[in-house]
Amino acid sequence: ISLSRQIYEPLYWINDEGEEIPMLATQYSVSEDGLTWTVTIRDDVSFTDGEALTASDVAFTYNTVKAASSVNDFTMLDHAEAIDNTTVVFHMVTPYSIWPYTMAIVGILPEHAYDPATYGSHPIGSGRYTLVQWDRGQQVILEANPNYYGEAPKMRRVTILFMEEDAAFLAAQAGQVDVAYTSAT
């Protein structure tokens, strides 16, 4: 289970067949030269703190990730710009035909609540769940996001325990946990 996928949502999701599934975005268009991507985002999305998610948050997220990224390559992006509350424009340095795949890996951050010193411990997203408790090295507790724009998750509360692999396997065998993630050998 990816914790970030539960708390944050990207503009698009790419399914197993390689199809683009709109998440926070409703549509996009690309200029003929491939240097400008215009994306329309939903107008009915709120962060877990109740604040509306806007194109400014999208632009802020991409500009922040570009400036700070050491994991993902964002050299193709010059900058992102919010045109209005529901329109963001990505200005590219060079044409980048697989930009939709990039839009599928970046969860949107709330500009109003982002503090790089504390945000990792107190994330605010627009995903299906909100982080309610984090006991480092032991467990994470998520609850369904009451502000979620889509279908409510079937599980209202999820507790993720961090266990050694053998202990997780034994707990699953004993029926003490519903799911145990172990590495394949």
Side-chain angles (χ1 to χ4, degrees), residues 3-4 19 22 28-29 38 52 54 68 76 78 82 88 101 103 105 113 121 125 131 134 143 170 183:
L3 287 176
S4 63
E19 301 166 322
Y28 69 83
S29 61
T38 303
T54 68
M76 78 298 287
D78 182 53
V88 64
Y101 289 89
M103 291 191 289
I105 63 169
S121 298
L131 176 69
W134 180 10
E143 288 185 356
L170 291 171
S183 61

Side-chain angles (χ1 to χ4, degrees), residues 65-88:
V65 169
K66 177 183 172 41
S69 187
S70 60
V71 176
N72 297 311
D73 178 12
F74 280 83
T75 55
M76 78 298 287
L77 177 66
D78 182 53
H79 70 284
E81 171 187 20
I83 302 301
D84 56 35
N85 278 345
T86 60
T87 310
V88 64

Side-chain angles (χ1 to χ4, degrees), residues 1 13 16 40 46 49 88 98 116 139 157 165 172-173:
I1 185 170
W13 180 246
D16 292 339
T40 303
S46 296
D49 66 358
V88 64
I98 60 171
Q139 69 179 356
R157 186 176 179 98
E165 189 167 328
Q173 280 187 317

Side-chain angles (χ1 to χ4, degrees), residues 42-64:
R42 300 174 64 104
D43 63 0
D44 61 346
V45 177
S46 296
F47 288 106
T48 54
D49 66 358
E51 292 288 322
L53 184 148
T54 68
S56 292
D57 296 302
V58 175
F60 168 78
T61 299
Y62 277 83
N63 290 330
T64 300

